[in-house]
Amino acid sequence: MSAYILRRILYAIPILIGVNLLTFTLFFVVNSPDDMARAHLGTKYVTPAMIQAWKREHGYDKPLLYNSSAPGLGRVTDTIFFTQSVDMFAFRFGRSDDGRDIGRDIRARMGPSLEIQLPVFVIGLATNITFALLTVFFRATYLDLAGTVLSVALMSISGLFYIIAGQYLFAIVLRLVPISGYAGGVESFKFVALPVAIGVVAGVGSGTRWYRTLFLEESGKDYVRTARAKGLSEAQVLFRHVLRNGMIPILTGAVVVIPTLFMGSLIMESFFGIPGLGSYTIDAIQSQDFGIVRAMVFLGSVLYIVGLLLTDLSYTLFDPRVRF
Amino acid sequence: MSEERLLEVEHLTTIVHADGAKVHAVDDVSFSIGRNETFALVGESGCGKSLTALSLMRLLPEAAEIRSGSVRVDGEEWLSMPELRLRDHRGGTVGMIFQEPMTSLNPVMTVGRQIGEALLRHTDLRGKAVRKRVLDLLAQVGIADRERRYGDYPFQLSGGQKQRVMIAMALAARPRILIADEPTTALDVTIQAQILELMRGLQRERQMSVLLITHDLAVVSEMAHQVAVMYAGQLVERAPRDAFFARPAHPYSQSLFAALPGRNRRAGTLSVIKGTVPPLDGAFAGCRFAARCESAAPVCAQDSPPWTRVEEGHEVRCHFARETQARWENGKARVSVAAGAAGLPAQSAARPQPSELLTVSDLKVHFPIRKGFLKRAQGYVKAVDGVSFQIRSGRTLALVGESGCGKTTVGKAVLQLIRATSGEVRFQGVPITRLPEARLRPLRSDLQIIFQDPYASLDPRMTVGSIVEEGIAALRTELSRGQRAQAMERILGQVGLPPASEARYPHEFSGGQRQRVAIARALAVGPRLIVCDEPTSALDVSVQAQVLNLLKRLQDELGLAYLFITHNLAVVASLAHEVAVMYLGRIVEQGDAEEVLDSPRHPYTQSLLGSAPVIERVRTARPPPTQGEMPSAIEPPPGCHFAPRCAHAMPLCRERYPGVTRIHAHHSVRCHLWPAASSLPDST
Amino acid sequence: MPLSFSFWGHAWSVEWVVLWTDALLYVLIVAAVLLALYIRRHPPLQRPWSRVVRSPMAMGAAVILAAYAAIGLLDSVHVRLPIAPVKGSTVRYYSPELLSVFDLIAGPLRTHTEYSYSAPFATRLYTQETVRLPDGQTRREYPRLKYGGAGLKSAAELGGDVCARVARALAEAGAAWLVAAAALTWRLARRHRCAVWQMALRCLRGDTQVPWRTIGLTFGVVLALGWSAGALCTHYHILGTDEVGRDVFYLSLKSVRTGLVIGTVTTLVMLPFALALGISAGYFRGWVDDVVQYVYTTLNSIPGVLLIAAAVLILQSYMDRHAGLYDTVAARADMRLLFLCLILGITSWTGLCRLLRGETLKLCEADYIQAARAFGVGHGRIITRHILPNVMHIVLISVVLDFSSLVLAEAVLSYVGVGVDPSTISWGNMINSARLEMARQPAVWWPLASAFIFMFALVLSANLFADVVREALDPRTKGRGGER
């Protein structure tokens, strides 16, 4: 078991190196430090000296990948790529364009993001499973048909619509909650309630449909017939047998997203003015702050890989057949 | 009479909705089962026997629906009973076991809980008492180490153990009727013998009635008191067991007997039933078997035959039931079978020894098991562990063994589809084990293969023409387009397919016809040796006979050699010249077919032969079945692999693997019971 | 490419311009037609599709999809109109403005721009303007629109005029529908060798294999809606106007092409990667498999939106620095659209690749592949003859399933600011530019509502269609129930 975990963690390293290489290519090769400097200093009245100064200030005055002038190992280490990568792997994200410490910003903004994402995840999962079980329980009836059609319709609606319509209805027309904003502590409930509700509703269509097919596939299997032949009621068959088997792919599939919940939701946070990582990212994208975007890409990959590891481990938890 | 009967089924009709068509899968079926009686429902696949059983329990799949009829248990009508009350009877009055023990148990629930669930549902037992009863049940169905098994999950059990657990679950609430739907079809022959023995014992002990559903007449012969034969959704014959086996009166029943391969049919042509089962989505006029019946008269095609009583308790749905039965009793039906055997050359006698075609020596195929941090091989599955044999041209070597013994791997390693770990395969004296793929290609046309499942072995997206042509295109590039077309036509004719089948797709053919296509594909490149990997085990008896006959005819005409891989000894007897018996990666006994089958020396061969159910006119006592199951090939037991199951095992058997003992020129065995007088080098 | 032709007595001379995405759409259509022909010729491939054709739901959805496709395709043939030649010069010059055939057909819609927002069917502007009266005084009022309801003498006539136009449009649409239905029935009757009235009766009863009744009904509804809209839109802004006075109905229709391009070209771009990598990973195993798995795990591990955002940001700054590369705004916007498809493709091929790898692994164990290997058939032939046809259903299912999520993704990306070029008309841009106006009193709801409704109709039909396709093509859903 521990050998397995160790191997998986070691396997994550080449993946992170790959991610790092990719983002480096995007941010430093396609868009060279000179371009960055020019973009920041403005296109007019820029002298080469100013560009050099800007690059030195940001530590971008070294060669990109290979330093032919440095001695020994320094040829590789004394480069932008190496210093930047080492910083990344040490979770030192540097400073944003407006001079703030990115690492500290990220830590501060994780909380509000989680406050929305976690309830959406938990309530959403419960809701989707419940609805899916209901449609399976009433399968081949009009209730099932209506449920299926409804979920297709729900999943055909743009996520933006849920947010815009929800905000308009509950915050502007009914004035039940504030339009946007955030406060810590107990106060936060009234700011978070609407985004959470919208998040759940927006996911219910596709979730219910996906789980329904899983449960249906499961309920067509031989062991379900065996359970019925024992004289179990339809509800007992569904809850004791079908649910347990169907939950394996559902839970293991859900586990992978748990770590990425930290990343927040881009759209929701920006619409509701939640100071989480989602709005942080979107602001960075809109103000073209590459430092933050790069940090978020790296963080996202790390969290995804943690998610993969958790998925594998969760199999041992949910599925007696899997042992390491 | 009615009060004697526990289960009465009358005019049961069940239809299945399939793609807009209504398939009359069960059509006007009536029968009844008495107390303590085993009633066997026999028929080939698709005849509706499983749906009949599911209809009784009202456990039909969604696409099926009961149209009419009545099912009474103890005089109580079940078909109109509210679902809620019927649930008390499911598992309570009637227990059911299914064909596939692998998939019929819930994979994520422990064995103990699954059995306990039935007790909680139907008895007042709670808490500790449930556990105790479950353990009792596990003991009754012969599960060793039951304390541990109680907490095991199904994947931790072998196939035979799973079926035992299924039986324990079905019997937990002491039902009065047990429905067993092909309970042993998925199991190996030695395990089948164990399970049948168990069921017989439990039935006697518990005074149960059993509805046994099977396709295997031999199983019926061993188990049943009453027999009903089902064909195309209808019952065609009902009789007490002895009467049925002595005097079957429906032409269909008779042809089933005639199509069975076996020792007495040695080297003869098996009689076959022409054609296939008619589709059931239309209306029938006349007898459903008429189109395939050898003695059909005009009336058969027009009027549906009524039930005719030929003797006490023996009823047949045939216009000419008495005549048919009389013909059987006069032995005419059997004479026609025997006639085929007459003209064949004698087996071993004066024929010149054919040349050696294939020589396999000390072949080993080990699959590494990768584990741990660096995924290094931490052990091997020794699927094939030192196998040697020869095949001469025009001859058939049958490689016999139970599932998991490595026989299929041998076949693939001979063809170099799997590369051997060590050892050598020579074809016509040329070693081919280490040849690179390019050098192997010229030999590919000499060595061909036919697979077990004709549904999986033909590419569903290709026409029969392009399937057969694939090999010609790849290996006989010298042929022109026109020559290829000619070759194709000739080959399709050889395997008995109409030339028009070329443009059709596999799904349009029945299982037997598909297997003909697969044979045609192999034949197309002009092979000298064909590896036949269980070519008939997925087929019904009547179709199996067609394919076996075809293989035999092709051997006579073309001088083909076969490596015939099978678990079915009856098939071996009818086809093979030599036999090699495999157990856990090694050949334990080999020699001339008649020698090995008539006087088996290895206890495992004896057990295989003894376990296979046989059809007897009058039931006789059978030796107790061999205990235990084949161990894993990862950690084979020390010494002789069969020792843990062997009734004759000696201390020596658990220490050393026995060497080869030559009984005489054409018969050798590896067993310590036969100490090697002229011992060959030991290869432990 | 200059084209000259005469049409209705006018000699037309235009320059045909093929944008990158146009070219890819043409390729896609050719590929789809070829695939359809191939499937027609191979019964085992055709069989599942005939189940799709027989499903009323799928065919109803298909009619709506076809309507969208027609608009999108008309909008994908681009031309430049000639400008009046300089006197004495024989050289013909073409306008720098790129117009599509759709633009030419919808001419008035494109040119009827107002000053700013106006509500659907409004005759006056949504905002007050300072108007100079003839007597020189100024007054704040809601000015009359230049085009919307321009023919009306007073606002009171609006209802009557609209009803009259709709009634006439419906009558015309009905007539057109009847002609089409009659022609179809006649053809069907010929094919089935029965009388025309019998065929008509069968169609009406729904007693045909292909659900002609549903197709006819859906077609009728689409025709009625389209005809009425067409009759009204020249005189009114039926869905209002946007901030700079453009007709929202026109914008919604123009967005169709953007949605279709994103939904289809993306798939076209990623398909070769997914197929080549997925199949070779499953077939060759070993180090090939390791490399492919590594690549897709790495790509997968980067959050999709962020990867797209990063790539688009970089592209944007690259384009800003090399502004001279594109001769027209449209070409530049098109480049960005294509790039967006590319980058969406890069982030979305991994799922399909993994599915294909798994299926190929399974197929390689199939007996018929073993049989082919026993013939010494080469790898290339095994892959093209056996594996490719047998994984085709997975590809088709994922293509139709991806389409709707890609259309939806466009809106979100445009909102984030990393979607299509701001000058490209798309539902995402419509939503993005109008979203803040919901807070106004009264709210400006029509640009949002139009974008959402047009998107919803497309995505819903695509989802319903995809549902049936998956059901029909996926071997796992076939043959449920029945004995064995």
Side-chain angles (χ1 to χ4, degrees), chain C residues 176-237:
Chain C
W177 186 86
L178 277 179
V179 170
L184 177 79
T185 316
W186 183 74
R187 271 217 57 150
L188 286 176
R190 287 261 310 242
R191 196 191 302 163
H192 292 278
R193 295 170 205 287
C194 65
V196 173
W197 67 269
Q198 276 174 329
M199 198 63 229
L201 212 61
R202 275 178 64 188
C203 287
L204 284 178
R205 279 203 310 260
D207 182 23
T208 47
Q209 281 203 327
V210 177
W212 290 114
R213 188 172 58 172
T214 315
I215 295 176
L217 268 176
T218 325
F219 180 63
V221 171
V222 170
L223 204 63
L225 280 176
W227 209 291
S228 317
L232 287 172
C233 70
T234 46
H235 295 79
Y236 299 95
H237 298 295

Side-chain angles (χ1 to χ4, degrees), chain A residues 65-93:
Chain A
L65 279 169
Y66 185 75
N67 191 346
S68 51
S69 61
L73 210 58
R75 283 165 197 256
V76 184
T77 56
D78 198 17
T79 56
I80 298 180
F81 177 66
F82 191 81
T83 48
Q84 289 288 326
S85 306
V86 168
D87 281 351
M88 272 295 166
F89 277 92
F91 291 97
R92 284 196 302 265
F93 297 126

Side-chain angles (χ1 to χ4, degrees), chain B residues 530-641:
Chain B
I530 299 182
V531 174
C532 306
D533 188 357
E534 303 255 20
T536 60
S537 63
L539 304 176
D540 281 317
V541 179
S542 63
V543 182
Q544 163 173 301
Q546 296 173 3
V547 172
L548 290 177
N549 283 346
L550 173 65
L551 286 173
K552 219 179 285 186
R553 201 189 77 220
L554 291 172
Q555 183 166 55
D556 293 341
E557 287 174 10
L558 306 171
L560 296 174
Y562 294 134
L563 172 59
F564 199 92
I565 296 166
T566 182
H567 68 281
N568 188 339
L569 285 162
V571 172
V572 173
S574 77
L575 194 79
H577 301 104
E578 282 124 66
V579 177
V581 181
M582 251 185 113
Y583 188 75
L584 213 57
R586 297 188 183 176
I587 290 176
V588 295
E589 181 163 9
Q590 71 187 112
D592 276 347
E594 284 181 24
E595 269 279 331
V596 175
L597 296 177
D598 288 341
S599 50
R601 303 297 167 97
H602 198 285
Y604 177 62
T605 316
Q606 291 166 356
S607 139
L608 274 183
L609 286 165
S611 302
V614 286
I615 297 173
E616 295 161 310
R617 289 214 165 187
V618 182
R619 209 175 304 176
T620 52
R622 301 287 305 277
T626 308
Q627 291 309 307
E629 300 186 24
M630 187 152 58
S632 136
I634 302 169
E635 287 172 77
C640 173
H641 294 165

Side-chain angles (χ1 to χ4, degrees), chain C residues 122-405:
Chain C
T123 53
R124 289 173 182 278
L125 221 50
Y126 168 78
T127 44
Q128 282 189 332
E129 297 288 330
T130 309
V131 190
R132 188 176 293 274
L133 296 174
D135 55 8
Q137 283 183 311
T138 58
R139 206 178 69 194
R140 300 277 294 167
E141 66 158 25
Y142 298 99
R144 274 295 289 263
L145 297 177
K146 271 185 282 179
Y147 302 99
L152 301 179
K153 291 203 179 62
S154 76
E157 293 174 13
L158 177 74
D161 188 55
V162 169
C163 287
R165 284 179 195 281
V166 169
R168 202 168 66 222
L170 287 182
E172 286 165 3
W177 186 86
L178 277 179
V179 170
L184 177 79
T185 316
W186 183 74
R187 271 217 57 150
L188 286 176
R190 287 261 310 242
R191 196 191 302 163
H192 292 278
R193 295 170 205 287
C194 65
V196 173
W197 67 269
Q198 276 174 329
M199 198 63 229
L201 212 61
R202 275 178 64 188
C203 287
L204 284 178
R205 279 203 310 260
D207 182 23
T208 47
Q209 281 203 327
V210 177
W212 290 114
R213 188 172 58 172
T214 315
I215 295 176
L217 268 176
T218 325
F219 180 63
V221 171
V222 170
L223 204 63
L225 280 176
W227 209 291
S228 317
L232 287 172
C233 70
T234 46
H235 295 79
Y236 299 95
H237 298 295
I238 56 172
L239 297 176
T241 54
D242 76 347
E243 192 173 10
V244 291
R246 290 180 297 178
D247 188 285
V248 172
F249 183 54
Y250 172 72
L251 295 181
S252 306
L253 290 177
K254 283 290 277 185
S255 303
V256 168
R257 174 179 187 269
T258 315
L260 288 180
V261 167
I262 299 249
T264 55
V265 172
T266 301
T267 320
L268 182 76
V269 167
M270 65 117 174
L271 217 50
F273 291 98
L275 272 174
L277 294 179
I279 290 182
S280 44
Y283 185 81
F284 295 107
R285 308 187 194 189
W287 66 267
V288 181
D289 191 17
D290 289 340
V291 169
V292 171
Q293 282 200 65
Y294 170 74
V295 170
Y296 74 59
T297 317
T298 305
L299 273 179
N300 244 359
S301 76
I302 304 176
V305 185
L306 284 181
L307 185 61
I308 295 165
V312 171
L313 281 186
I314 300 303
L315 175 85
Q316 222 166 352
S317 64
Y318 180 83
M319 278 181 160
D320 288 345
R321 275 179 278 123
H322 304 85
L325 282 177
Y326 314 98
D327 46 356
T328 58
V329 181
R332 186 196 141 106
D334 183 69
M335 219 40 225
R336 176 150 169 183
L337 179 62
L338 179 64
F339 186 79
L340 187 69
C341 292
L342 265 174
I343 189 74
L344 272 171
I346 287 175
T347 53
S348 64
W349 65 274
T350 52
L352 178 60
C353 183
R354 184 161 37 195
L355 283 180
L356 287 174
R357 173 183 169 269
E359 189 69 15
T360 309
L361 275 175
K362 226 186 306 166
L363 277 178
C364 281
E365 296 303 312
D367 286 342
Y368 55 86
I369 306 259
Q370 297 274 332
R373 286 180 53 205
F375 287 127
V377 177
H379 296 315
R381 270 186 87 78
I382 290 186
I383 288 177
T384 50
R385 298 252 297 181
H386 293 289
I387 293 180
L388 209 54
N390 282 298
V391 297
M392 220 47 198
H393 67 278
I394 295 184
V395 175
L396 290 173
I397 290 171
S398 102
V399 166
V400 290
L401 281 181
D402 279 355
F403 174 80
S404 43
S405 54

